[in-house]
Amino acid sequence: MMNYQISDWVTATTNQDEMLHGYVESMDVLGGLTRIYVIASDRESTIGKVMEVSNQDVKKLPPSSLDIEEQVRSLIDVALAVRDEMWFLELTGKLLAIQQNESKRSERDHLPSLTFKNRLGVDQL
């Protein structure tokens, strides 16, 4: 039984025992094959290509939260490489939100503290 769908992020192993990381582009249920667009692999020549692997050798990756700017920037590069305009727009919106949250956080860090210590060393509000 397959626990993944088209567009899911997966890892897989080829018949030559090569590791693939990418997303499911299409599936041949009757033939027992999954076509994966490869973004990372043991063999660099497969990166950016579609590889066919046996359904049983494919594992769905758990969803991850996109709250780290470097992760979002990496995915923007992938969206550009695969020419997915909708995904690119979604990711750039997420990147802008992260950057705005970081600028608000840094503004709060520069606000004067509401707590202080008196000469006796006792905290007060």
Side-chain angles (χ1 to χ4, degrees):
M1 182 178 134
M2 296 183 306
N3 63 347
Y4 55 89
Q5 303 174 27
I6 292 174
S7 80
D8 283 346
W9 287 95
V10 295
T11 60
T13 307
T14 66
N15 291 341
Q16 293 79 29
D17 202 31
E18 296 168 325
M19 188 281 305
L20 303 176
H21 177 99
Y23 63 89
V24 177
E25 189 169 87
S26 63
M27 296 181 292
D28 179 1
V29 178
L30 296 177
L33 297 173
T34 299
R35 289 172 198 86
I36 300 172
Y37 183 89
V38 181
I39 64 159
S41 175
D42 293 344
R43 187 171 50 140
E44 288 190 26
S45 63
T46 61
I47 297 173
K49 296 182 180 169
V50 177
M51 298 291 293
E52 280 188 348
V53 294
S54 174
N55 290 345
Q56 64 193 20
D57 296 328
V58 179
K59 293 183 181 95
K60 181 178 177 179
L61 292 171
S64 67
S65 65
L66 295 176
D67 57 353
I68 299 174
E69 186 173 344
E70 293 80 27
Q71 289 175 338
V72 176
R73 287 182 183 277
S74 294
L75 289 175
I76 287 172
D77 291 341
V78 174
L80 287 170
V82 298
R83 300 176 190 267
D84 189 332
E85 183 179 358
M86 294 300 294
W87 190 29
F88 171 79
L89 294 173
E90 177 185 333
L91 291 169
T92 53
K94 180 67 176 172
L95 179 62
L96 289 173
I98 290 170
Q99 290 172 337
Q100 288 174 348
N101 285 339
E102 287 177 2
S103 68
K104 287 179 185 176
R105 190 176 312 127
S106 67
E107 286 174 8
R108 275 184 278 156
D109 291 344
H110 290 95
L111 290 176
S113 175
L114 296 177
T115 61
F116 62 92
K117 290 188 178 209
N118 63 16
R119 291 184 297 168
L120 300 174
V122 179
D123 291 335
Q124 294 181 354
L125 289 176

